[in-house]
Amino acid sequence: MPELAEVEWYRKQWDAGIGDEIVDLRLHTGEYVFRGTNTRRLRENLVGRRLLKSVRRGKQMLFQFSRDNWLGIHLGMTGKTRSESANFWPAKYDHLVLHQRKRALVFTDQRQLGRIRFHHGRTKPDWWKSGIPEIDSPAFNQKFVDEFLHRHRKAPIKAVLLMQNGFPGIGNWMADEILWRAKILPSKGTAKLAARERAAIFRATKFVVRKSLQTLGKDFSDPPRNWLIHQKWKRDGICPRHHTSLRHTTIGGRTTAWCPRCQS
Ligand SMILES: [Zn+2]
């Protein structure tokens, strides 16, 4: 499932079309990915409009078009956005194609756990608004993290890191990376974390997000070689720090990898 940095990269795939008009539009009416969205209105409002800009928040993307039109995209498990040549013809899973004179902006989703939403209005849609700070913003600080961890003190820390209303954009691999870097056991009860451990989690979260945006988010290149992500899915994965065999378990329904030597 795409996490913060991957979503950032997918968001930029439509940047090529910024400033250009949507001259035609193809979509698969009635598909699950459009649940709750009036696809007729979407079509009527977007054709003839220009793509102005896009923003990301956590794992969500918002594309702004001229004359007060907005398109929200959540990639879900298998969603992808990309740019194709102008004569592109959609295949089975290409549920939305915005045609411009020089290219086609394509959204593909095989499993359809992603979602496309449309909004017409002067301001950003209600479903976009939130008071939750982005991790790479100054508002995401130690105080915010401490308060959030306290609110969810009964849950294991790994499960808390996956909560989008506290750690927007963090998913399974980033949560494991953060806890490995902070040297904390993923199953550890959040209430048991000492102040220095909460500080380590805060620092590791900022670092993993920043570095991921500089690699994956920028050009889909790999995060640094000494990160856990390169080992976590291997059957015989080892801790990049001291080559101890990694352990695996399920926390909050997600496969979790950790090093028994450096995480406690
Ligand atoms: Zn280790």
Side-chain angles (χ1 to χ4, degrees), residues 15-84:
D15 276 3
I18 287 178
D20 289 352
E21 187 187 338
I22 309 302
V23 294
D24 196 6
L25 185 156
R26 285 193 173 83
L27 59 79
H28 295 156
T29 309
E31 288 285 5
Y32 186 64
V33 75
F34 292 110
R35 58 196 177 276
T37 290
N38 184 331
T39 47
R40 195 169 58 86
R41 277 194 77 217
L42 187 161
R43 180 193 303 278
E44 285 169 1
N45 281 281
L46 282 193
V47 174
R49 305 298 170 238
R50 279 176 303 113
L51 174 58
L52 299 180
K53 63 185 238 187
S54 65
V55 284
R56 179 191 53 77
R57 215 197 59 213
K59 296 179 189 173
Q60 313 220 43
M61 310 184 263
L62 183 67
F63 296 87
Q64 184 181 358
F65 296 82
S66 58
R67 306 267 188 101
D68 307 327
N69 293 295
W70 312 80
L71 196 68
I73 296 185
H74 192 290
L75 297 172
M77 289 283 284
T78 55
K80 292 179 170 68
T81 43
R82 68 188 196 276
S83 175
E84 291 280 355

Side-chain angles (χ1 to χ4, degrees), residues 139-147 149 195 197-203:
F140 185 93
N141 53 29
Q142 185 74 59
K143 182 167 175 285
F144 174 81
V145 168
D146 283 346
E147 285 171 3
L149 296 187
E197 291 177 311
R198 295 196 305 270
I201 287 171
F202 170 70
R203 279 196 310 274

